[in-house]
Amino acid sequence: MKINDLPRGIDGGKWNSGHVQGIAVDVKKGFVYYSFTTVLAKTDLLGNLIGYAGGLVGHLGCIDINPEDGKVYGSLEFKNDAIGQGIFKTLGKEGAPAEDAFYVAIFDVDKITRPAMDAEKDGIMTAVWLPDVVEDYNGKGVNGENHRYGCSGIDGTSFGPVFGAPADSPSMLMICYGVYRDLARTDNDYQVILQYDWRRFAAVAKPLTQEAPHHSGVRAEERYFFFTGNTTYGVQNLLYDPASRCWCVAVYVGKKPEFANYSFFLIDGTKAPVKEPLRGMNGEEGAVLSPAPYGEPGMNGGAPGFRFPWGTTGIHALGNGYFYISHEGRTDPPEKLHTCHIHLYQADFAHPECFRLVEN
């Protein structure tokens, strides 16, 4: 489908399951998928609801379509913290999950054919446990603080080639850490990205009974670091753009005054990581990624970036520099339901706004 044939806007409906966390668009089949925290919704390109899968007690974050198997993959976390307690409250449940667990959720979206389906009971979702994330979430920082690297779990999720590899290299699944905002720490100023060969998932992916989360999973092949300065809850949405060969990084801005605290960054996907000592981590070494040569300058070594106000709740590359980007919202009181309106944008990374709304 040509860009001129695509709608300039798509209405994702009104939901009481939490705000939109991510979007994925299948232009060939004509469907849009939305993560509304505890629900995966499916519409056509005109916004007509096809169906949705609920029953998630965890936090479903950023999502992406695997172009090779047509399934939707997303970050899924169960935490006994403020986020987990908030989800339980939204669902009318008591307490919070008994176990801190982190997964790649895999949705067979062809099975979503009607409203009010159950992701577990209707056989729509399997999950792969991520022990690296569990260990860092429960681990200690360099000075004994809780959560190694400030890890608050996972969110940003996208498919693309290995950093520095040729454009036509096999795609991998990249998953970003959430990072707690903490102005006093020095070891939480990187965005952390784990690399997985999703082809390994078939041997370990299992249906997820959320009352007794399974531990069937795989280790990450690689761990990368991208220096931005501390952000609020890390990478909310990650996206590989084949046209520019950049990885788009959308975050909630940080609060450390020594950094520029941008909301949007670009990683140069053409450059291989460089192993070097990590700042603020007492000599620990890591594979550090390079920023793309776009955006306003960073401060104190932080990556250049943009103050683009959207992207944290969903971004999808359509090709040739065009993107669908989510705008989240709420309906008026007393209803106050969560909304998602998707808008068509054209990239202009040489401009401070980095995207131009396509209206005609």
Side-chain angles (χ1 to χ4, degrees):
M1 185 177 290
K2 297 179 180 179
I3 290 296
N4 287 340
D5 297 328
L6 290 173
R8 275 27 183 176
I10 304 171
D11 184 354
K14 300 185 291 185
W15 301 84
N16 64 0
S17 56
H19 78 79
V20 61
Q21 305 281 345
I23 63 170
V25 184
D26 188 334
V27 172
K28 291 182 179 179
K29 292 185 177 180
F31 297 121
V32 184
Y33 302 96
Y34 316 74
S35 163
F36 280 98
T37 308
T38 59
V39 162
L40 184 72
K42 177 180 181 179
T43 73
D44 63 19
L45 294 178
L46 298 178
N48 298 308
L49 181 66
I50 304 300
Y52 63 89
L56 300 177
V57 179
H59 176 292
L60 180 63
C62 178
I63 58 175
D64 196 13
I65 293 179
N66 184 343
E68 295 190 41
D69 67 11
K71 295 179 180 178
V72 168
Y73 291 59
S75 56
L76 181 64
E77 56 181 25
F78 303 89
K79 296 189 297 184
N80 191 4
D81 67 354
I83 294 175
Q85 293 163 14
I87 289 172
F88 264 52
K89 183 178 179 181
T90 298
L91 295 172
K93 295 179 177 289
E94 297 291 333
E99 177 182 345
D100 299 317
F102 305 94
Y103 296 89
V104 177
I106 305 169
F107 295 90
D108 188 346
V109 288
D110 289 340
K111 294 181 179 179
I112 301 177
T113 57
R114 56 178 172 80
M117 300 185 75
D118 188 288
E120 294 180 15
K121 297 175 183 177
D122 289 320
I124 294 168
M125 184 185 80
T126 57
V128 176
W129 187 58
L130 305 179
D132 301 83
V133 185
V134 176
E135 291 170 5
D136 285 344
Y137 180 80
N138 292 323
K140 298 291 185 179
V142 294
N143 294 314
E145 309 96 333
N146 289 333
H147 311 295
R148 189 181 185 204
Y149 310 125
C151 174
S152 72
I154 49 175
D155 214 332
T157 305
S158 187
F159 290 92
V162 172
F163 298 101
D168 59 354
S169 299
S171 66
M172 299 293 169
L173 179 63
M174 306 294 182
I175 300 178
C176 301
Y177 277 11
V179 177
Y180 284 116
R181 187 179 75 190
D182 188 332
L183 278 62
R185 296 177 68 158
T186 62
D187 61 346
N188 62 352
D189 293 331
Y190 286 89
Q191 305 307 319
V192 183
I193 303 176
L194 300 183
Q195 175 186 304
Y196 295 90
D197 184 346
W198 58 270
R199 298 158 192 84
R200 299 168 59 207
F201 290 174
V204 295
K206 293 183 177 180
L208 183 61
T209 301
Q210 295 170 102
E211 290 77 13
H214 69 69
H215 290 175
S216 179
V218 295
R219 291 278 180 183
E221 290 90 32
E222 299 289 345
R223 185 198 307 270
Y224 304 104
F225 297 86
F226 181 55
F227 193 76
T228 60
N230 184 234
T231 56
T232 301
Y233 285 120
V235 180
Q236 296 297 300
N237 261 248
L238 179 73
L239 173 72
Y240 177 66
D241 173 34
S244 64
R245 298 201 62 195
C246 290
W247 293 79
C248 302
V249 175
V251 305
Y252 298 146
V253 297
K255 300 296 182 182
K256 286 187 177 180
E258 64 267 34
F259 296 109
N261 295 316
Y262 295 118
S263 59
F264 197 89
F265 302 90
L266 295 170
I267 300 172
D268 190 339
T270 69
K271 292 186 177 179
V274 177
K275 191 171 184 179
E276 62 185 42
L278 300 172
R279 306 181 202 195
M281 296 194 193
N282 294 344
E284 178 181 344
E285 289 192 337
V288 178
L289 301 172
S290 299
Y294 305 109
E296 299 180 62
M299 293 170 54
N300 290 313
F306 303 89
R307 303 197 187 278
F308 184 65
W310 306 107
T312 54
T313 62
I315 179 170
H316 183 90
L318 296 165
N320 297 319
Y322 288 91
F323 295 77
Y324 271 139
I325 300 179
S326 160
H327 290 203
E328 67 163 327
R330 300 289 290 269
T331 59
D332 293 334
E335 189 179 47
K336 295 186 70 174
L337 296 176
H338 294 279
T339 63
C340 172
H341 289 85
I342 296 174
H343 296 271
L344 182 64
Y345 282 86
Q346 186 174 18
D348 184 2
F349 294 146
H351 191 275
E353 288 294 323
C354 70
F355 291 102
R356 177 183 62 84
L357 185 65
V358 179
E359 299 180 275
N360 299 313

